Amino acid sequence: MTRTKNRGKCNHLHLFSDMNELTALLVSTLTVDDFLKHSAEMVARHLGAQVCSIYLYDEPSGELYLAASTGPETSGRTRIGVGEGLVGHCVSQLKPVCEGIVDRSPSLVHFEPDPENVYQSSLVVPIHRGPVRIGALEVRHEKPDAFDESDIMALLAASSQLGTAIENARMIMDMHRDGGAGPEPQAIPPGTVLRAAIASEGYAYAPAAVYRKGGAQHLLEPLPDDAALTPEDFRMALDATSEQLQALQSGFARRLPESASLIFTTHFMMLKDESFTGRMIRLIEEGTPPARALSQVASHYTALLLSSPHEYIREKVNDIEDLVFRIMRNMRKAGHHDASSGVNRIMVAGRLFPSDILRLVADNVQGIILVGGGTTAHVSILSRSLKIPLLMSERDELLLLPEDTPVLMDAYAGDIYVNPPQKIVRQFREREKARNMAARKSTDVSAQTRTKDGVRVRLLANINLLSEVPLARDLKAEGVGLYRTEFPFLIRSAFPSETEQYLIYKRLFDEMKGRPVIIRTLDVGGEKVLPYLDAAPEANPELGLRSIRFLLSRRDIFAAQVRAILRAAADACDVRIMFPMISSLDEFLEARQVVLESLDELSREQVTVCDKPSIGMMIELPSVVEIMEELSDAADFFSIGTNDFVQYMLAVDRANQRVSRYYASHHPSVLRGLKRIVEIARNKGKDISICGEMAHETIHLPFLLGIGIRRFSVDPQFLPRLQESISRISLDDAREYAEILLSRPSLKDIQEIMADRRWAERFGLQGQAGYRE
């Protein structure tokens, strides 16, 4: 590439320092529009470009829009699709695009009018946080080949610095811009009932609040009564905050043992830090009003953290906001409510991560409504484990609900009642009371499960959090069919040590003593992002370095986890270690070798361990279907994870609302693949269970029994219903039904058979999910 600009590379160093100053300005004085405009001007100045533009990604529409530019006024087209033109291609691939002569790009799309083709060179870099698209930065120059490798690196660094701040800014702008994507969402009239998808069952009636990261910043704005606050008010607020955090931490230790002393560690450190609360006290003693002192110090540290290139450090801003909110609320005494707090609220949000759920739990959130498909499987799982009702809606106007609007969530039927009349509220409270009474009766389950014709079926529990183990025991689960080990990793700010993991796993084995436990090794990557990993982004994380691939690439993490499992299981009777996302025999053998090496190492250290664990694998990938014979010779047991098996078999992201209709568990290829897998495993005498969503969906139960599944692993709350349903089905009927489904080549034929009321009557499943008339 020929370099035509005459400027020193030292300017790029000034760019980084200016970014820190700009972040501080965003926190303290500038509007969002000012911030974006200043950012574009500064980048253009340092790179010697005539134009710098910032584009933001609009997730609901899947399009990009121009948010700020140093170029001419925009006219005409203002939105483009991801993958369209240079900017769209950059955001689609999450990779820089540099074009020395833009006319060479036939797919060029720009917002700015350029009738005379003045701008010859274009450099675009993505703005993102891991796989989450935020937007793009583009610089343009009138000369050809105007940008080189140093410019690319400089612009990438700038996008990284801007990423978190723009992510927060984008949500604010979404509330005010005329996006050109259709009419603005309208206010929801009282009494409106909206349909929603169910992610976690339950009932909730409470005032609503909209959750936004960065939402606590408005607390720093002065209120009329702040002038009356005294230094003593501030000291009392610190004491009250410390007491509240201690109470919350104790509560978490009981409700979420995996996190016992972790959630508020940063809060306590800041409360004791001379440079944080100590600095506030000094400012107050020098005459600064308490509210302003709190604001100044919080803004300073927020800007400092946001300027970090490491995402796990930027995430600490959430801790500062949460702590500042608590101090400010205690200082004002009036109980000023913050829309980022879930105190006895139903929270409405566009996107949440597991760490966000924990913050809401700390505030006793009553329910959650996610708008626009912004959920992940692990957010749903965590919500179910913590007994928080969770609904998913496509209605954007929910994000505009006025604070404290009464909302009733029926997360059994999938209904959202906005400001319902009291008659409806009374009806639901009576219904919930009756449901709780029925649930108490349903816990009277039998120790063994049998089909209508007396065939033994084993029901095991999926355990996501240790707090679910007592319920699994009460409901007579015959063991743990899947313990998901990723939650202790997801809720921490760093990798848990071998000792920390040992303590968690030891409690699991102790509480399930005498029963088999299948413990799955770490399954992260894809949608399960560890912020502290700070790994390079992947264009397609679902097909990237995840699950067993990640563990095999990080033998230190893998070995530490295996050692912790083996040590914790020393006194257990039936220990099974299971690897996720195995795609080949070679992969399984390599992972098994890590277990064998760990056993040898612990033996040399003379550590007491479980010396003969069973070693098995999850079946989640279509690639294993044709090598099941060989895998059955190598593995001790199998568990089918139907969620990913269906997703990868059909190439459908089940969390993507635009293609979710293609996610069909009853697809003929899925059904035939499951039949082949189960048949080979049983012929080889290997245990095979099913632990995905299909395991507790009544509509699939007769087919699964018909192809030979005799071990089901489900979330504990589904155990009574599953046992009752199995008891009504005879295996002769189930086999006949399965053979009919397997003989049909089309989805339409299979759907018609599954919906046939005669089969529902034959299985005694009338009125259950999938069979409703």
Side-chain angles (χ1 to χ4, degrees):
M1 182 184 294
T2 305
R3 186 165 183 82
T4 58
K5 300 188 297 295
N6 182 18
R7 53 185 169 77
K9 293 181 182 176
C10 63
N11 279 354
H12 295 339
L13 299 177
H14 296 305
L15 174 62
F16 305 144
S17 59
D18 282 1
M19 277 293 168
N20 294 340
E21 295 172 15
L22 197 59
T23 305
L25 286 173
L26 169 66
V27 175
S28 57
T29 57
L30 292 178
T31 67
V32 171
D33 292 320
D34 288 337
F35 169 71
L36 296 175
K37 183 74 172 175
H38 278 67
S39 298
E41 290 173 350
M42 186 189 64
V43 171
R45 182 172 69 252
H46 281 282
L47 269 70
Q50 272 84 27
V51 175
C52 177
S53 302
I54 297 175
Y55 309 114
L56 298 186
Y57 175 57
D58 180 33
E59 191 167 5
S61 69
E63 294 179 317
L64 293 150
Y65 65 92
L66 181 65
S69 179
T70 61
E73 290 298 318
T74 303
S75 62
R77 189 175 186 190
T78 59
R79 301 175 74 89
I80 60 172
V82 171
E84 188 178 5
L86 297 183
V87 174
H89 180 73
C90 167
V91 174
S92 172
Q93 301 299 313
L94 293 180
K95 293 180 180 178
V97 175
C98 187
E99 192 65 60
I101 301 178
V102 293
D103 290 342
R104 294 173 183 162
S105 178
S107 62
L108 180 66
V109 176
H110 279 297
F111 293 117
E112 302 95 330
D114 185 12
E116 300 179 3
N117 292 322
V118 172
Y119 306 113
Q120 294 295 311
S121 300
S122 177
L123 169 59
V124 194
V125 299
I127 305 172
H128 60 97
R129 298 184 69 193
V132 179
R133 298 183 178 101
I134 297 173
L137 264 178
E138 183 192 31
V139 288
R140 298 170 68 191
H141 200 280
E142 63 184 10
K143 296 180 180 180
D145 296 319
F147 303 111
D148 63 13
E149 289 296 328
S150 68
D151 297 313
I152 295 174
M153 297 305 295
L155 202 58
L156 279 170
S159 74
S160 176
Q161 296 274 32
L162 286 167
T164 301
I166 291 180
E167 171 72 356
N168 291 332
R170 181 179 64 172
M171 198 166 292
I172 299 170
M173 293 191 68
D174 284 346
M175 304 296 293
H176 301 293
R177 74 174 194 277
D178 177 9
E184 288 289 329
Q186 300 298 309
I188 304 174
T192 299
V193 183
L194 304 175
R195 291 292 295 164
I198 303 167
S200 175
E201 291 184 340
Y203 162 86
Y205 176 64
V210 178
Y211 180 87
R212 299 183 186 90
K213 289 205 172 189
Q217 285 299 321
H218 79 271
L219 274 176
L220 303 182
E221 298 172 3
L223 294 179
D225 295 340
D226 285 352
L229 294 173
T230 67
E232 182 60 24
D233 291 328
F234 180 77
R235 292 188 182 89
M236 291 176 64
L238 291 184
D239 292 339
T241 302
S242 180
E243 291 173 4
Q244 290 165 1
L245 292 174
Q246 289 177 34
L248 286 169
Q249 184 161 294
S250 299
F252 258 101
R254 293 189 298 271
R255 190 171 184 182
L256 200 62
E258 289 89 342
S259 68
S261 61
L262 299 171
I263 301 300
F264 300 108
T265 299
T266 304
H267 295 62
F268 282 118
M269 290 178 67
M270 288 190 293
L271 277 175
K272 297 175 181 179
D273 189 355
E274 268 295 306
S275 62
F276 190 74
T277 52
R279 185 173 177 181
M280 296 175 191
I281 292 171
R282 287 192 295 275
L283 285 171
I284 294 170
E285 289 172 347
E286 292 168 3
T288 303
R292 187 181 300 173
L294 179 62
S295 172
Q296 286 182 9
V297 176
S299 296
H300 169 77
Y301 279 93
T302 298
L304 191 65
L305 292 175
L306 287 176
S307 68
S308 171
H310 302 290
E311 184 172 358
Y312 73 93
I313 292 179
R314 297 196 298 269
E315 285 289 330
K316 294 296 183 184
V317 168
N318 296 325
D319 292 323
I320 289 182
E321 287 189 346
D322 186 63
L323 179 60
V324 168
F325 159 64
R326 295 177 188 279
I327 296 172
M328 188 70 87
R329 184 173 61 179
N330 286 321
M331 187 164 56
R332 284 172 173 163
K333 295 188 177 72
H336 179 81
H337 171 67
D338 171 45
S340 287
S341 166
V343 179
N344 296 316
R345 293 295 200 270
I346 287 174
M347 298 304 297
V348 184
R351 186 178 181 87
L352 289 177
F353 296 96
S355 57
D356 300 319
I357 297 289
L358 298 181
R359 294 177 190 283
L360 295 177
V361 169
D363 284 332
N364 197 30
V365 69
Q366 300 298 295
I368 299 171
I369 300 171
L370 281 177
V371 178
T375 189
T376 66
H378 275 65
V379 164
S380 300
I381 290 169
L382 191 57
S383 297
R384 288 200 297 267
S385 299
L386 293 168
K387 307 297 185 293
I388 302 171
L390 174 62
L391 290 173
M392 296 179 292
S393 173
E394 293 297 311
R395 301 293 292 268
D396 290 346
E397 58 266 43
L398 283 166
L399 292 170
L400 299 180
L401 274 179
E403 188 176 338
D404 292 336
T405 299
V407 168
L408 189 152
M409 290 176 62
D410 180 3
Y412 296 104
D415 292 324
I416 301 169
Y417 295 76
V418 178
N419 202 357
Q422 284 303 304
K423 179 181 178 181
I424 296 292
V425 176
R426 285 195 297 271
Q427 288 175 355
F428 268 90
R429 282 177 172 159
E430 288 300 317
R431 189 182 304 175
E432 184 66 5
K433 191 182 300 182
R435 181 181 283 111
N436 290 335
M437 290 178 63
R440 283 194 291 272
K441 291 180 181 178
S442 73
T443 59
D444 186 22
V445 295
S446 301
Q448 293 187 356
T449 301
R450 296 185 182 275
T451 62
K452 186 177 181 180
D453 43 359
V455 176
R456 184 87 155 81
V457 176
R458 284 174 168 76
L459 300 188
L460 306 128
N462 292 341
I463 298 297
N464 310 304
L465 300 171
L466 292 176
S467 57
E468 296 174 288
V469 174
L471 178 61
R473 287 200 314 267
D474 291 345
L475 296 177
K476 300 182 176 65
E478 297 186 54
V480 173
L482 169 65
Y483 176 66
R484 295 181 170 100
T485 60
E486 51 267 26
F487 281 108
F489 288 79
L490 288 169
I491 63 179
R492 278 170 164 75
S493 57
F495 285 109
S497 67
E498 179 182 326
T499 300
E500 288 176 310
Q501 293 180 71
Y502 163 79
L503 295 172
I504 294 169
Y505 307 150
K506 182 72 164 61
R507 180 165 171 178
L508 172 69
F509 287 118
D510 286 349
E511 295 197 14
M512 293 302 292
K513 202 171 187 64
R515 308 181 206 195
V517 173
I518 298 177
I519 187 165
R520 185 177 69 186
T521 56
L522 183 60
D523 184 15
V524 294
E527 66 177 22
K528 293 164 281 189
V529 179
L530 301 179
Y532 51 83
L533 187 58
D534 213 25
E538 296 178 301
N540 195 338
E542 290 297 328
L543 301 180
L545 190 65
R546 57 170 300 195
S547 301
I548 197 64
R549 297 172 184 172
F550 169 76
L551 287 177
L552 291 173
S553 73
R554 290 294 304 269
R555 294 297 185 98
D556 56 331
I557 296 169
F558 195 4
Q561 181 175 41
V562 169
R563 285 171 55 93
I565 294 170
L566 294 171
R567 290 171 54 205
D571 299 323
C573 66
D574 187 351
V575 180
R576 305 186 179 200
I577 298 174
M578 180 166 64
F579 308 129
M581 296 292 290
I582 293 292
S583 64
S584 67
L585 177 62
D586 311 74
E587 215 168 36
F588 176 79
L589 295 175
E590 187 179 356
R592 186 177 67 177
Q593 188 60 32
V594 173
V595 178
L596 299 178
E597 290 172 359
S598 296
L599 280 168
D600 289 342
E601 188 178 71
L602 289 165
S603 177
R604 290 194 300 272
E605 296 172 11
Q606 298 184 331
V607 176
T608 304
V609 297
C610 169
D611 58 355
K612 291 183 180 179
S614 297
I615 302 175
M617 58 172 274
M618 293 280 286
I619 295 177
E620 300 166 280
L621 301 177
S623 64
V624 306
V625 176
E626 292 301 321
I627 57 171
M628 271 302 295
E629 293 275 356
E630 292 82 0
L631 286 169
S632 294
D633 291 332
D636 296 324
F637 67 93
F638 299 95
S639 184
I640 303 172
T642 54
N643 300 351
D644 275 327
F645 186 75
V646 176
Q647 174 170 273
Y648 287 112
M649 178 72 82
L650 303 181
V652 176
D653 179 0
R654 62 197 179 100
N656 185 335
Q657 297 297 316
R658 288 178 288 179
V659 296
S660 58
R661 67 183 183 276
Y662 296 106
Y663 183 89
S665 302
H666 57 281
H667 190 288
S669 293
V670 172
L671 300 185
R672 294 175 189 181
L674 293 175
K675 170 66 163 61
R676 179 168 169 76
I677 290 164
V678 174
E679 186 175 53
I680 293 173
R682 284 171 62 89
N683 287 342
K684 293 280 188 175
K686 299 299 173 73
D687 283 345
I688 183 162
S689 61
I690 188 164
C691 64
E693 297 287 333
M694 285 180 72
H696 72 254
E697 293 171 345
T698 310
I699 191 72
H700 297 300
L701 184 54
F703 172 80
L704 295 174
L705 288 169
I707 63 172
I709 292 291
R710 300 291 181 268
R711 301 170 73 92
F712 292 80
S713 188
V714 299
D715 288 357
Q717 64 264 32
F718 298 124
L719 288 167
R721 186 174 67 192
L722 188 59
Q723 184 178 81
E724 183 182 2
S725 298
I726 290 172
S727 70
R728 297 176 179 177
I729 301 171
S730 78
L731 282 189
D732 286 341
D733 288 343
R735 291 190 188 101
E736 179 186 349
Y737 175 75
E739 287 301 320
I740 293 173
L741 292 184
L742 290 165
S743 69
R744 298 299 193 267
S746 76
L747 279 164
K748 181 180 178 183
D749 289 345
I750 293 173
Q751 285 170 334
E752 289 176 354
I753 294 167
M754 294 176 70
D756 192 328
R757 189 173 61 184
R758 289 170 296 181
W759 280 113
E761 292 171 350
R762 200 160 161 183
F763 296 133
L765 301 176
Q766 305 98 311
Q768 298 202 31
Y771 291 109
R772 295 190 180 95
E773 298 180 35

